[in-house]
Amino acid sequence: AMDRRDAAYEALKNREDLAAYQQRMRQFFVDALGGFPGRTPLNPQVVATEDRDGYRVDKVIFESQPRHLVAALLYLPDAKPPYPGVLVPCGHSGNGKASEAYQRASILLALNDMAALCYDPIEQGERYQLLDEKGKPLAGGTTAHCLVGVGSTLVGRNTATFRIWDGMRAIDYLAGRKEVDPKRIGCTGNSGGGTLTSYLMALDDRIVCAAPSCYLCGFRRLTETIGPQDAEQNIHGQIGFGMDHADYIHMRAPKPTLMCTATHDFFDIDGAWNCFRQAKRFYTRLGFAERVDLIETDAKHGFSMELRVGAVRWMRRWLLEVDDAITEPDFPVAGDAQLLCTCLLYTS
């Protein structure tokens, strides 16, 4: 199946072939997810605001589906609006949006004149669903995602269906804020957040600029090394159909896309470079080779400072039209309890 997919990729020669390939991949992807529900009112509430040095944080609750609450943090720069907005999907951290790496990425974006919206995935942060009689999680993270995945696959959906829809509705909220320019939307996330960035950038045309981190690799190397991953990272039938990791980039070509990678990641670095080569050739055939790039840090899996800085530089280049070498200063981050949203909703 992988050989057939690679042969189909090599057969793409002209713009018509490329456009047809993009459409075919996107249609399969949406069908495999079981489609998406209709948009319903977000009913957003800002439950608290915290002013900080150079930016502020709004604690937000919105409904991605009726009575399906999403807890999020919106980092707003001390800059003249409207400014770009960047979605920051979380990886598989138990504390979700409170994870230090995701706080630092979001703060760095805000300190560089861009809004950042970081939200909890299902079964993480403030969104655990499988609880015992004391309200403590029975399962969370990848385990809970896989439990959701079993039932989802049986009815033609996937854990990714719910997670992607959360992300799309988060973009609805972000783009709807009066401070944010809805024509300058970016997305960056690490690990499971890199997965969601890859999915969202392929399916949501509003994402102008994307920087998925520590995920894109390719199924050939995954099956040769660590094997299948979390439920939302396994779209039913995709290897048989011929949709590989590089195709998440191809589906959005020629929009600016940066692969953030780590030399010692368990998502194999050789697979990542092969994925990048396919994407670079695809963009070159379209005449926009400069719009796809890769950075590699000599580190293990994680949203390290080098990758955070690289992602923010990429956002500045394409969303602010400023191409400079910003760095990440030392700044404080908040404790988990300080970033809770739902407790404020139900006590207000």
Side-chain angles (χ1 to χ4, degrees), residues 57-195:
V57 180
D58 283 359
K59 297 181 180 180
V60 179
I61 300 280
F62 64 87
E63 299 180 23
S64 60
Q65 297 185 60
R67 301 182 67 186
H68 189 56
L69 302 180
V70 181
L73 300 171
L74 178 61
Y75 297 76
L76 294 164
D78 184 12
K80 183 179 179 180
Y83 33 69
V86 180
L87 190 68
V88 184
C90 292
H92 292 115
S93 55
N95 57 352
K97 63 189 181 307
S99 170
E100 181 175 339
Y102 308 134
Q103 286 191 60
R104 291 193 176 279
S106 301
I107 294 169
L108 187 60
L109 285 162
L111 291 176
N112 283 278
D113 299 336
M114 291 172 280
L117 181 66
C118 189
Y119 63 100
D120 283 332
I122 55 172
E123 313 297 356
Q124 295 171 236
E126 298 182 70
R127 300 184 70 200
Y128 288 96
Q129 301 173 93
L130 303 173
L131 307 176
D132 63 19
E133 64 278 0
K134 296 181 179 179
K136 300 298 183 181
L138 289 167
T142 57
T143 300
H145 290 175
C146 289
L147 292 173
V148 173
V150 171
S152 297
T153 299
L154 292 173
V155 293
R157 293 193 290 266
N158 186 282
T159 304
T161 310
F162 306 103
R163 294 208 52 197
I164 291 169
W165 190 243
D166 279 349
M168 288 180 169
R169 298 313 313 274
I171 294 175
D172 288 346
Y173 176 76
L174 180 62
R177 290 283 300 228
K178 66 179 187 301
E179 305 97 333
V180 173
D181 182 353
K183 294 183 179 179
R184 290 186 290 165
I185 299 295
C187 187
T188 185
N190 182 76
S191 189
T195 306

Side-chain angles (χ1 to χ4, degrees), residues 5 14 38 63 65 67 78 94 119 130 137 155 159 172 201 205 208 240 253 264 323 333 343 347:
R5 184 262 166 203
N14 55 50
E63 299 180 23
Q65 297 185 60
R67 301 182 67 186
D78 184 12
Y119 63 100
L130 303 173
V155 293
T159 304
D172 288 346
M201 73 185 191
D205 290 332
V208 174
H264 307 291
D323 196 3
V333 296
C343 62
T347 57

Side-chain angles (χ1 to χ4, degrees), residues 53-329:
D53 187 13
Y55 67 100
R56 86 167 195 260
V57 180
D58 283 359
K59 297 181 180 180
V60 179
I61 300 280
F62 64 87
E63 299 180 23
S64 60
Q65 297 185 60
R67 301 182 67 186
H68 189 56
L69 302 180
V70 181
L73 300 171
L74 178 61
Y75 297 76
L76 294 164
D78 184 12
K80 183 179 179 180
Y83 33 69
V86 180
L87 190 68
V88 184
C90 292
H92 292 115
S93 55
N95 57 352
K97 63 189 181 307
S99 170
E100 181 175 339
Y102 308 134
Q103 286 191 60
R104 291 193 176 279
S106 301
I107 294 169
L108 187 60
L109 285 162
L111 291 176
N112 283 278
D113 299 336
M114 291 172 280
L117 181 66
C118 189
Y119 63 100
D120 283 332
I122 55 172
E123 313 297 356
Q124 295 171 236
E126 298 182 70
R127 300 184 70 200
Y128 288 96
Q129 301 173 93
L130 303 173
L131 307 176
D132 63 19
E133 64 278 0
K134 296 181 179 179
K136 300 298 183 181
L138 289 167
T142 57
T143 300
H145 290 175
C146 289
L147 292 173
V148 173
V150 171
S152 297
T153 299
L154 292 173
V155 293
R157 293 193 290 266
N158 186 282
T159 304
T161 310
F162 306 103
R163 294 208 52 197
I164 291 169
W165 190 243
D166 279 349
M168 288 180 169
R169 298 313 313 274
I171 294 175
D172 288 346
Y173 176 76
L174 180 62
R177 290 283 300 228
K178 66 179 187 301
E179 305 97 333
V180 173
D181 182 353
K183 294 183 179 179
R184 290 186 290 165
I185 299 295
C187 187
T188 185
N190 182 76
S191 189
T195 306
L196 262 293
T197 299
S198 300
Y199 291 173
L200 288 163
M201 73 185 191
L203 295 175
D204 197 315
D205 290 332
R206 294 172 296 179
I207 297 175
V208 174
C209 177
S213 176
C214 288
Y215 169 64
L216 291 171
C217 172
F219 285 113
R220 190 181 296 273
R221 285 303 291 154
L222 278 179
T223 55
E224 290 170 347
T225 54
I226 57 177
Q229 299 300 295
D230 190 5
E232 72 261 24
Q233 295 171 327
N234 307 315
I235 307 302
H236 185 72
Q238 71 180 108
I239 293 178
F241 180 81
M243 185 176 77
D244 207 346
H245 281 196
D247 294 318
Y248 302 133
I249 306 177
H250 300 157
M251 280 183 251
R252 65 181 271 99
K255 293 180 179 179
T257 308
L258 175 70
M259 287 180 58
C260 301
T261 68
T263 308
H264 307 291
D265 199 345
F266 47 77
F267 287 104
D268 183 74
I269 191 62
D270 291 333
W273 273 99
N274 184 61
C275 179
F276 171 66
R277 286 191 64 241
Q278 289 199 4
K280 180 66 95 171
R281 292 172 64 204
F282 198 100
Y283 274 63
T284 301
R285 292 167 188 167
L286 288 171
F288 297 97
E290 76 285 354
R291 295 187 186 179
V292 65
D293 207 345
L294 179 146
I295 59 174
E296 177 181 341
T297 182
D298 188 21
K300 295 181 180 180
H301 184 83
F303 215 0
S304 61
M305 180 164 58
E306 293 84 1
L307 298 185
R308 296 193 300 265
V309 168
V312 175
R313 287 180 181 178
W314 189 254
M315 297 296 159
R316 284 175 62 82
R317 175 186 296 178
W318 296 103
L319 298 179
L320 290 172
E321 297 183 351
V322 177
D323 196 3
D324 58 4
I326 63 104
T327 58
E328 181 178 288

